[in-house]
Amino acid sequence: MRHLLFMAVLSALLGIVPQPEKVEEMKGNFRIAGATFNCEMSLDRESQNLISEFADRLAMISDRTVSFAPSPTLRSNAASGLLKGVCFLLDKDKISGEYSLEVTPKYVLVFASDFYGFTYALQTIRQLLPPAIYGTSPAPGEKWVLPCCKITDKPRFAYRGLLLDCSRHFFKVEEIYRILEIMNVYKLNRFHWHLSDDQGWRIEIKKYPMLTVAGAYRSGTQIGRERGSSDGIGYGGFYTREEIRSVVAYARKLGITIIPEIDLPGHMQAALAAYPELGCSGGPYRVRTGWGVSDQVLCPGKEETFAFIEGVMDEICDLFPSEYIHIGGDECPKTEWEKCPDCQARIAALGLTSHNGVSKEQRLQNYVTERVQKYLASKGRRIIGWDEILEGELAEGATVMSWRGTAGGIKAAAAGFDVIMSPNIYCYFDHSQSTELSKEPLGPTQNPKRAIPLEKIYSFEPLLNMEAGATSHVLGVQANLWTEYIAEPSHLEYMLLPRLLALSEVQWCNKEVRDYDRFRAEVAGHQSAILNIMGYTFRPVD
């Protein structure tokens, strides 16, 4: 323990977030401005482009010539002790995302096994430099040196996610880029894009054009917390296929995979406004103007409903290369199904009955989940669903995102399902950052106990109360930024930052390495300087 504390003190001097696994600080520094960047010829093209772009940025910011070239002799030079400059070599024994970094007065040596490891190594190097490296203007007067040190580092969890809800409020592509960029700085690697809900359908689907003609726009928006109110101002927007492809490509350059969510069979009122025949009553429906949960959901008693789902998923799979597709599954009222002749006929045909506390209508939702899961599996994809999909029967291979606390995740992992921990008591970034609610922007709750300050996020331990044999099923951790009360990019960033930094340490760091006092000091100092120069709006550390 004494050794671990010693390493934490050293790393605090270096100011890195998320905290590396092990840091050894040494005397001296390396002058990186004007240095030569080298890599092995065998590095993949993406990694070479990554290093080249970093060298170009350093040259521009430092106002010094920085060259980059693959070298056929780099490995032999390393073996002979003849290294100079900044050198990148492959180490196939490292896991994906793992890296090591050695800084001496003569050279910098980076080892990783893949593009992700080199990405995270370069982010660590950036944080060791003056904050000006994150800017857009030359800063030749800065001290462009790296402190001599040895760092070995790897992520605790493979899945390090952030959800952005663009259905309640729509954010332009440029703001999506900014969210991806700050995720990249702090080593997050999954962007969960919530693209459909009762209040708006946000993605172009060629087979179903009315989804964006009618489903992407609502007649008004709820005023504050006043249920049933509307400001009467038309609101909406959607992403074209070209915009989706550009965001996916940009995220890929940053080492981030985008996981799209099409929430079903509930949270579908915007889709029903476009195609009312897919509902139990046939409508008419309108895009919901207020928040909360709608009783109007897809009708699984009709075969055309599944034709619609499969048609949408065909285009989703075409646009997003992610292994996972999120299909929602949460908050689906069954009142319409209980009185719908088509749904009851489907229930009878399937022989579904109520038993063990699970209604036959809930088992109908299990049927929907399993059928969509099988269809996506035929296309080489896997599903993620909110923890309600555990109610009743869940088919093997599904991944559960635990949002109603951690109990659902603990139950799912014990049953052998993969899990992503996203409990609302720690990970809902639409909740206030302070218990003094009157001093914070309007949010979803008036209960100060529901506030999620920086320290509370940092205290989250994803594996708490979990049986040792089940912990391997926890893929990672995700925060969710729902936007009922967030309409502007500056407000969005304020709610995200600096809490994203606390999340990054929960996702990346082993619990033995985390220390809130060290982290808070880093955020208040070096990290705030980084956020400032990047132009983000953020809440100052108390």
Side-chain angles (χ1 to χ4, degrees), residues 54-220:
F54 180 84
D56 289 344
R57 165 172 280 274
L58 178 62
M60 185 274 290
I61 298 291
S62 67
D63 200 25
R64 295 282 301 276
T65 300
V66 177
S67 62
F68 165 71
S71 169
T73 61
L74 188 58
R75 186 164 290 272
S76 60
N77 289 345
S80 304
L82 301 175
L83 288 177
K84 62 179 181 179
V86 186
C87 309
F88 297 81
L89 284 86
L90 283 169
D91 181 353
K92 291 298 184 181
D93 290 333
K94 295 188 183 302
I95 66 169
S96 179
E98 183 180 5
Y99 69 92
S100 64
L101 170 65
E102 181 181 4
V103 182
T104 77
K106 294 183 178 180
Y107 62 83
V108 176
L109 180 58
V110 177
F111 279 106
S113 66
D114 61 6
F115 168 76
Y116 302 101
F118 292 119
T119 295
Y120 305 141
L122 282 171
Q123 287 301 343
T124 295
I125 289 173
R126 286 178 80 187
Q127 290 200 30
L128 292 173
L129 292 170
I133 191 64
Y134 293 90
T136 57
S137 302
E142 295 280 1
K143 293 183 179 180
W144 293 105
V145 298
L146 293 173
C148 290
C149 60
K150 290 183 179 180
I151 294 175
T152 56
D153 200 13
K154 63 179 180 292
R156 181 184 186 189
F157 295 109
Y159 185 110
R160 303 180 301 282
L162 173 70
L163 173 147
L164 179 60
D165 167 21
C166 290
S167 296
R168 278 51 176 259
H169 281 102
F170 177 74
F171 294 92
K172 295 180 179 179
V173 166
E174 291 75 17
E175 183 62 18
I176 304 300
Y177 285 169
R178 284 179 58 78
I179 299 302
L180 293 170
E181 287 162 4
I182 200 64
M183 288 174 64
N184 176 237
V185 171
Y186 296 105
K187 302 184 175 80
L188 277 73
N189 66 349
R190 297 292 188 274
F191 180 67
H192 176 171
W193 205 355
H194 189 77
L195 291 165
S196 69
D197 218 297
D198 296 322
Q199 295 82 11
W201 185 281
R202 302 295 180 214
I203 180 170
E204 178 186 15
I205 302 294
K206 283 190 173 183
K207 188 173 183 179
Y208 296 102
M210 291 302 293
L211 286 172
T212 46
V213 171
Y217 299 92
R218 59 180 183 254
S219 62

Side-chain angles (χ1 to χ4, degrees), residues 431-438 445-453 456:
H431 287 218
S432 174
Q433 300 196 61
S434 169
T435 56
E436 296 184 80
L437 301 184
S438 63
T445 177
Q446 294 176 292
N447 183 354
K449 292 182 179 179
R450 298 293 301 278
I452 305 179
K456 184 171 183 178

Side-chain angles (χ1 to χ4, degrees), residues 191-259:
F191 180 67
H192 176 171
W193 205 355
H194 189 77
L195 291 165
S196 69
D197 218 297
D198 296 322
Q199 295 82 11
W201 185 281
R202 302 295 180 214
I203 180 170
E204 178 186 15
I205 302 294
K206 283 190 173 183
K207 188 173 183 179
Y208 296 102
M210 291 302 293
L211 286 172
T212 46
V213 171
Y217 299 92
R218 59 180 183 254
S219 62
T221 300
Q222 178 178 310
I223 301 170
R225 295 195 190 92
E226 187 181 344
R227 292 296 173 92
S229 67
S230 173
D231 60 14
I233 302 171
Y235 182 90
F238 67 92
Y239 304 102
T240 66
R241 291 172 61 86
E242 291 72 22
E243 287 175 323
I244 293 288
R245 291 191 191 281
S246 72
V247 173
V248 169
Y250 190 72
R252 170 62 193 173
K253 284 184 63 177
L254 301 177
I256 297 170
T257 299
I258 297 183
I259 297 176

Side-chain angles (χ1 to χ4, degrees), residues 280-427:
C280 291
S281 71
Y285 306 99
R286 65 186 181 95
V287 180
R288 190 176 175 91
T289 58
W291 317 136
V293 178
S294 172
D295 288 338
Q296 304 304 320
V297 301
L298 290 179
C299 177
K302 299 174 181 176
E303 197 59 28
E304 53 263 46
T305 296
F306 292 97
F308 167 78
I309 292 171
E310 291 172 5
V312 169
M313 290 303 174
D314 286 343
E315 296 194 31
I316 292 294
C317 291
D318 178 58
L319 290 167
F320 296 94
S322 166
E323 175 188 6
Y324 289 101
I325 306 294
H326 203 299
I327 65 167
D330 63 314
E331 298 178 324
C332 180
K334 311 298 190 295
T335 52
E336 291 293 294
W337 294 359
E338 290 169 358
K339 59 187 178 183
C340 172
D342 293 317
C343 288
Q344 292 303 313
R346 176 82 74 178
I347 286 171
L350 294 170
L352 304 179
T353 59
S354 300
H355 63 276
N356 294 334
V358 180
S359 71
K360 59 182 187 290
E361 286 77 21
Q362 177 56 51
R363 296 190 186 281
L364 181 60
Q365 183 170 346
N366 298 152
Y367 168 76
V368 175
T369 300
E370 184 174 5
R371 185 161 168 177
V372 176
Q373 181 179 355
K374 285 180 178 178
Y375 186 76
L376 287 171
S378 74
K379 303 175 78 65
R381 308 304 180 93
R382 303 175 65 187
I383 68 161
I384 302 174
W386 300 107
D387 56 52
E388 284 94 332
I389 67 173
L390 281 169
E391 297 167 5
E393 303 292 335
L394 183 59
E396 183 179 353
T399 296
V400 175
M401 187 167 279
S402 186
W403 74 275
R404 296 177 296 178
T406 59
I410 292 170
K411 176 183 176 182
F417 293 102
D418 285 344
V419 170
I420 298 158
M421 287 295 195
S422 189
N424 54 2
I425 56 174
Y426 292 103
C427 295

